[in-house]
């Protein structure tokens, strides 16, 4: 399991050096067994994820490093790992599960665009010889979507939907009437934060781009909401 004790590596010098977060700039930072990290370690990720930079202050100097990362994290549904499993019996009490999940704070979850559950794959699915969509076709669709975003943000410092400002979200992420109604209903029912709300819109915009759809529709909003499973569990 990777250990990210801080964004700063230890050195005998007083000059702070880039740590794991900054070294992942423009790349992927993968954290396995997310709740097993110390809570204060996870909380220091919040500001770099929001601002795309890390500022480290010392007595005589202050240094800022870039930290625009794609955070990918994995965790079990409970301490024993079998909560919700149709075959194995979960040995955890509700209190144990609550304590385990509470190690990941709401503000940190708000900053993660997509939460999905990955159930165990059944044998018949593993053995299925049916042909699905090829990797080449998927890659081509993603490339087209990126070209759409590149054109959308031409002349700005933004390169993809994830980097949109509040003003850009208002301009480019207006759903149709049905999508607006669904978003309002879900936001009120789950008590979503403003960050969760904007992340649903950004993901919906990307889903629409993958379909080369100009406007975000109800189906895009619905799919984006499904990608925030931890909001549904805690709402």
């Amino acid at each position: 399991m990777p250990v990210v004790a801080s964004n700063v590596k230890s050195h005998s010098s007083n000059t702070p050096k880039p740590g794991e977060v900054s070294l992942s700039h423009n790349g992927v930072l993968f954290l396995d067994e997310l709740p097993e990290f110390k809570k204060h370690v996870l909380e220091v990720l919040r500001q770099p994820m929001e601002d795309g930079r890390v500022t480290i202050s010392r007595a005589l100097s202050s240094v800022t490093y870039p930290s625009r990362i794609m955070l990918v994290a994995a965790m079990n549904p409970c301490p024993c790992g079998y909560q919700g499993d149709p075959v194995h019996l979960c040995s955890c009490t509700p209190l144990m599960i609550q304590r385990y999940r509470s190690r990941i704070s709401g503000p940190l979850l708000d900053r993660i665009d997509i939460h999905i559950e990955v159930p165990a794959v059944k044998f018949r699915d593993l053995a299925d010889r049916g042909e699905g969509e090829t990797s080449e076709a998927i890659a081509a669709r993603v490339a087209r979507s990126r070209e759409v975003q590149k054109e959308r943000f031409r002349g700005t410092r933004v390169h993809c939907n994830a980097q949109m400002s509040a003003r850009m979200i208002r301009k480019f992420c207006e759903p149709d009437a049905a999508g607006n109604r669904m978003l309002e209903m879900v936001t009120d029912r789950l008590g979503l934060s403003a960050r969760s709300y904007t992340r649903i819109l950004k993901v919906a915009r990307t889903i629409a781009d993958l379909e080369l759809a100009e406007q975000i529709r109800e189906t895009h909003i619905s799919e984006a909401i499904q990608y925030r499973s931890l909001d549904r569990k805690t709402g």
Side-chain angles (χ1 to χ4, degrees):
M1 182 177 74
V3 177
V4 184
S6 72
N7 185 60
V8 186
K9 291 184 175 181
S10 298
H11 289 265
S12 57
S13 168
N14 288 328
T15 304
K17 302 296 182 183
E20 286 82 352
V21 176
S22 289
L23 292 174
S24 301
H25 178 61
N26 286 336
V28 177
L29 176 65
F30 175 62
L31 303 180
D32 196 12
E33 300 289 354
L34 190 64
E36 301 302 328
F37 288 89
K38 293 182 179 178
K39 192 162 186 175
H40 77 274
V41 173
L42 296 178
E43 291 305 298
V44 300
L45 288 172
R46 287 163 48 182
Q47 208 58 41
M49 291 172 65
E50 191 81 12
D51 298 337
R53 62 181 183 272
V54 175
T55 300
I56 305 152
S57 298
R58 292 291 184 267
L60 301 177
S61 65
S62 179
V63 180
T64 298
Y65 293 110
S67 63
R68 193 171 292 281
I69 62 172
M70 179 182 292
L71 175 68
V72 179
M75 62 182 286
N76 287 320
C78 65
C80 78
Y82 291 125
Q83 199 263 342
D85 191 290
V87 178
H88 301 89
L89 181 65
C90 175
S91 60
C92 304
T93 66
L95 182 59
M96 290 169 63
I97 296 173
Q98 181 184 0
R99 286 176 175 170
Y100 178 76
R101 292 180 179 172
S102 67
R103 296 177 190 174
I104 315 300
S105 71
L108 180 60
L109 284 176
D110 279 350
R111 288 166 169 81
I112 300 176
D113 293 346
I114 296 175
H115 322 146
I116 57 172
E117 296 183 25
V118 184
V121 181
K122 296 180 179 179
F123 173 78
R124 65 171 178 267
D125 296 321
L126 290 171
D128 184 14
R129 296 295 183 265
E131 292 189 6
E133 189 175 14
T134 65
S135 296
E136 290 79 7
I138 295 172
R141 191 167 71 251
V142 171
R144 288 195 302 270
S145 168
R146 293 306 297 264
E147 286 300 316
V148 168
Q149 295 175 51
K150 183 179 178 181
E151 183 61 31
R152 174 180 298 138
F153 303 122
R154 186 179 298 278
T156 72
R157 294 186 177 182
V158 173
H159 303 292
C160 61
N161 293 335
Q163 299 172 358
M164 282 191 288
S165 64
R167 181 181 61 82
M168 289 177 174
I169 291 172
R170 288 192 296 269
K171 181 177 180 181
F172 298 119
C173 299
E174 180 63 32
D176 62 13
N180 254 323
R181 287 193 297 270
M182 171 172 284
L183 193 53
E184 179 182 3
M185 177 186 68
V186 171
T187 300
D188 289 343
R189 186 167 65 188
L190 297 182
L192 298 181
S193 68
R195 284 193 179 93
S196 294
Y197 172 84
T198 57
R199 274 159 172 73
I200 287 172
L201 284 175
K202 288 179 181 180
V203 172
R205 177 68 270 172
T206 300
I207 295 168
D209 289 343
L210 288 167
E211 294 183 2
L212 299 180
E214 190 167 332
Q215 186 174 28
I216 298 174
R217 299 192 296 269
E218 181 183 19
T219 55
H220 304 139
I221 293 291
S222 176
E223 184 174 346
I225 291 168
Q226 293 302 309
Y227 294 150
R228 294 196 66 84
S229 63
L230 293 178
D231 285 339
R232 300 199 302 277
K233 285 183 178 297
T234 57

